[in-house]
Amino acid sequence: MKNGSVTISTIHASKGLEWKRVFVTNLVEGSLPHRFSMGSDEEIEEERRLAYVACTRAKDTLVLCIPEKAQMQANTVRLAPSRFLEEIGIVPEKPASK
């Protein structure tokens, strides 16, 4: 891999690989765990395993990206951080009041 290059990967495709820096994006309920995978404890456990895989791909630096809001058609909606963050002791900071 050349210096300055970026690799974009799915969590599934990253199994067994490592990178110096990893950015895990969209760590919100409905994305991780995915909204279609919340039907049973087994599905949630598989999503938890995928979150673990994502977070263990970094050799040096792991950045967890947790958006506060999303645009859904004409509406802006607040997003809930992934339950997996609290399970590992990471609680996102509350946005400053305006």
Side-chain angles (χ1 to χ4, degrees):
M1 186 179 301
K2 295 180 182 179
N3 284 340
S5 64
V6 173
T7 300
I8 299 174
S9 174
T10 64
I11 297 172
H12 287 90
S14 74
K15 292 176 188 172
L17 302 174
E18 286 186 319
W19 294 277
K20 185 173 180 169
R21 287 181 219 54
V22 171
F23 292 77
V24 182
T25 62
N26 213 33
L27 280 167
V28 294
E29 288 292 304
S31 184
L32 195 60
H34 193 274
R35 62 190 176 106
F36 294 146
S37 299
M38 293 187 193
S40 68
D41 290 342
E42 293 81 18
E43 289 177 321
I44 292 293
E45 190 56 38
E46 175 64 12
E47 293 289 294
R48 183 177 289 109
R49 191 184 67 72
L50 287 171
Y52 174 83
V53 167
C55 292
T56 57
R57 302 303 89 202
K59 291 181 186 176
D60 297 328
T61 305
L62 173 65
V63 178
L64 303 176
C65 303
I66 310 156
E68 296 174 12
K69 301 175 190 172
Q71 193 71 33
M72 304 286 184
Q73 298 175 355
N75 301 314
T76 300
V77 295
R78 287 206 162 281
L79 302 172
S82 172
R83 67 187 76 189
F84 303 143
L85 295 169
E86 189 172 345
E87 290 176 5
I88 61 173
I90 297 173
V91 180
E93 295 178 13
K94 301 276 187 210
S97 299
K98 292 184 180 181

